Amino acid sequence: KAKENGRDAVQAFSQELSDSARRKFLRAEELRTAIQNDEFVLDFQPQINLTTGLVSGVEALVRWKHPVEGILPPSEFIPLAEETGIIIELGEAVLRKACQQAKKWSMNARHRVRVSVNMSPKQFQNAGVIDHVKAALKESGLDPSLLEIEITESSIMRDIGSAAGIMKELTDMGVDFAIDDFGTSYSCLNMLKKLPFSRLKIDRSFIMNTPDDEQDCAIVTAILNLARSLKLQVVAEGVETIEQAQFLHLAGCEHGQGYFYSRPVGDLTIEALLDKQY
Ligand code: C2E
Ligand code: MG
Ligand code: MG
Ligand code: MG
C-alpha cells in the first residue's frame, strides 16, 4: 500500500513537473509575442540629489502590460527572460525606449536628467551589447553622458577582463556605469578598483533599518567611506522615511532613491517631479 502511494506520488510529481515546464514554454512564447506587440512599458523613479533636493536622474524600470493579467512587475518575467535569452531582445527594446524618452526630456534644459537602465548579466555578456547601446543612442540622438547602465556584481564575476573591455568602449563614448544592489552578492572589491564605475548603489536591504539599526548604519558608513576613497558617487536605494534620508545626507551620501521621494511612475508624472525641489 505504502509502495503504491509512493508510486502515485512520483507520478503526480512528474505530471506537475511537465505542467510547469509546459507553462514555462508557453510563457516564453508569450514573452516573444509581447516584444513584437510592444507590450513593455517603462516606469521611471527619480533619484534625488540629497544636497540640492533636485532630481538628478531617473531609473527606468520595465513593466509588462499584459493584455489579460494587467501590469506585471519585472519579478514576474525578467528571470524567465534571462533564462531563455529573450532578455537580449527585451533589453534592446528597453534601451531604445529609455533613450528616446530621455532625449525628449532633455530638449527642455530643466529636464535634462540622466536615465539609468538596468542590464542583466546575459544582456551585458552578449556579444552585441555595444552595438545595441550605440544604436539606441544614435537612433534617439541622446547625449551619451545622459545614459547610465546599471549592472550587478553577478554580471562581472564570470569574467572581469571581458567586462572591462565592454565598459571601456562604452565609457569612452561618455556612457556611465553604476553597480546595482551593492553588497548583496560576493563583492570582489578589486573589481571596483579595476572597472570604470562612476557610481555605486547601496542595496535597499542595508538602508531599510537605518537609522535605528547600529550595524546597518555602520555598514552604510563603511560603504560610503569605501566609495569616497575610490571616487565613486553613491546612490542609496529604497529610501522610505525622512529619518533615513537625513541619516544618509549627514553620512555624506550624494543621492537617494525610494518611495519617500516617489514610487516609479509614468513618463508624464515624472515631468512634474523634474520641476520640483524636494
Ligand atoms: P533594481 O534595479 O534594484 O530596482 C529597484 C527596485 O526597487 C524597483 O523594483 C523599485 O520599484 C523598487 N523600489 C524603489 N524604491 C523602493 C522603496 O523605497 N521601497 C521598496 N520596497 N522598493 C523600492 P521593480 O521595478 O519591481 O524592479 C525590480 C528589479 O527588476 C530591479 O531591481 C531590476 O533588477 C529588475 N529590472 C527592472 N527593470 C529592468 C530592465 O529593464 N531590465 C532588466 N534587466 N532588469 C530590470
Ligand atoms: Mg537598478
Ligand atoms: Mg538596485
Ligand atoms: Mg535592489
Side-chain angles (χ1 to χ4, degrees), residues 81 99 160 199 222 278:
C99 289
I160 288 205
R199 298 211 295 176
Y278 282 91

Side-chain angles (χ1 to χ4, degrees), residues 45-159:
Q45 189 178 33
Q47 301 177 332
I48 281 71
N49 178 317
L50 297 180
T51 305
T52 63
L54 299 173
V55 176
S56 58
V58 298
E59 178 174 6
L61 296 156
V62 69
R63 276 90 181 88
W64 182 1
K65 251 189 173 164
H66 192 284
V68 180
E69 295 167 45
I71 300 200
L72 302 178
S75 56
E76 300 257 336
F77 58 89
I78 292 283
L80 181 62
E82 177 77 3
E83 192 185 322
T84 54
I86 295 172
I87 192 69
I88 291 167
E89 212 184 322
L90 175 56
E92 244 188 298
V94 167
L95 257 175
R96 225 183 280 128
K97 279 180 200 289
C99 289
Q100 261 161 22
Q101 188 57 69
K103 172 67 186 184
K104 236 195 246 164
W105 286 326
S106 73
M107 312 285 239
N108 175 345
R110 286 193 61 178
H111 294 176
R112 224 182 115 79
V113 293
R114 178 188 48 241
V115 68
S116 303
V117 177
N118 292 283
M119 224 181 236
S120 68
K122 250 199 199 141
Q123 200 189 345
F124 180 70
Q125 287 155 2
N126 166 255
V129 67
I130 292 173
D131 287 339
H132 292 171
V133 174
K134 279 188 184 163
L137 287 169
K138 194 169 169 211
E139 232 176 73
S140 62
L142 180 71
D143 177 348
S145 69
L146 292 180
L147 175 65
E148 177 177 75
I149 295 172
E150 297 191 4
I151 57 178
T152 58
E153 288 149 299
S154 50
S155 283
I156 303 149
M157 287 307 291
R158 213 171 301 168
D159 186 350

